[in-house]
Amino acid sequence: MIDWFVHNAPRVGALALTHAWLAALPLVLGLAIALPLGWLAHRLPRLRLAIVSLAGALYTVPSLVLFILLPLVLGTRILDPFNVVVAMTLYTVALLVRTVADGLASVPEEVRQAALAMGFGAFRRWVSVELPLALPVISAGLRVAAVSNVSIVSIAALIGVVQLGSLFTEGFALLALPPIVVGSIACVLLAFVFDLAIIGLTRLATPWARGRA
């Protein structure tokens, strides 16, 4: 096991980097899309159920099916990593829309009223007051989405997209345990790094919470 890793360390590192950006870029894009959708769901209670349900329904689509169908819809090659980025962005949106709406709902009404009394417009109030206070809740959902992305990206190896999941398909094809174990450990470590990064960024963005703790 260790000998296999030593001889294949450069390759594992390259696969991990590819896996990382295939999971991280959709996380950023998905958050950017989920923020306005979550805000809309929060501001329009009558539409909340429809918005949250439709977004959540995206997560029920099997990832392998989505990886295969997207090239037909987008006109891309099946091995194009762009398909994975689009699919993972959809899954991230599915997980985060409800989280954003719940985060905004957690902001005390008296805080909103105080900001309104200070002359804050709707957009400024959302950016300067509501979103920062909702950030801990959103961050919790983002951590779940990050781990989910790291896991689901590996499935793209079944259609030939090279990343850490390729070690799984290689191990199964050769009936070799080392690449499967190393790939699994690498995915867990990558998810752990993502989680720590989100926690760190959240602490930096919410100094008042850090001081209170």
Side-chain angles (χ1 to χ4, degrees), residues 10-33:
R11 178 178 171 232
V12 173
L15 292 175
L17 288 176
T18 301
H19 200 110
W21 80 260
L22 285 174
L25 180 58
L27 201 63
V28 175
L29 296 176
L31 178 61
I33 297 171

Side-chain angles (χ1 to χ4, degrees), residues 142-166:
L142 199 60
R143 291 171 65 188
V144 173
V147 173
S148 175
N149 282 9
V150 171
S151 175
I152 297 177
V153 163
S154 62
I155 298 175
L158 293 175
I159 60 171
V161 178
V162 178
Q163 26 74 25
L164 287 174
S166 302

Side-chain angles (χ1 to χ4, degrees), residues 63-71 78 84 87-88 152 155-156 159:
S63 56
L64 186 58
V65 173
L66 198 56
F67 290 148
I68 294 173
L69 289 180
L70 277 176
I78 194 168
V84 179
M88 299 314 304
I152 297 177
I155 298 175
I159 60 171

Side-chain angles (χ1 to χ4, degrees), residues 64-134:
L64 186 58
V65 173
L66 198 56
F67 290 148
I68 294 173
L69 289 180
L70 277 176
L72 302 177
V73 176
L74 301 175
T76 55
R77 296 178 297 106
I78 194 168
L79 295 181
D80 194 332
F82 181 69
N83 301 317
V84 179
V85 172
V86 172
M88 299 314 304
T89 299
L90 292 176
Y91 285 135
T92 301
V93 171
L95 288 173
L96 291 184
V97 168
R98 179 187 293 273
T99 299
V100 172
D102 290 344
L104 293 173
S106 70
V107 178
E109 183 59 30
E110 55 268 25
V111 173
R112 292 193 180 90
Q113 293 301 323
L116 184 62
M118 293 174 63
F120 282 38
F123 181 75
R124 185 185 176 194
R125 186 170 68 248
W126 182 69
V127 172
S128 303
V129 179
E130 295 180 14
L131 187 57
L133 291 177

Side-chain angles (χ1 to χ4, degrees), residues 31-55 93 96-105 112 122-123 126 130-131 138:
L31 178 61
I33 297 171
L35 283 174
L37 289 177
W39 174 84
L40 193 64
H42 170 67
R43 289 297 298 269
L44 303 175
R46 292 182 179 180
L47 294 180
R48 176 188 169 95
L49 181 60
I51 295 173
V52 171
S53 297
L54 287 174
V93 171
L96 291 184
V97 168
R98 179 187 293 273
T99 299
V100 172
D102 290 344
L104 293 173
R112 292 193 180 90
F123 181 75
W126 182 69
E130 295 180 14
L131 187 57
I138 297 173

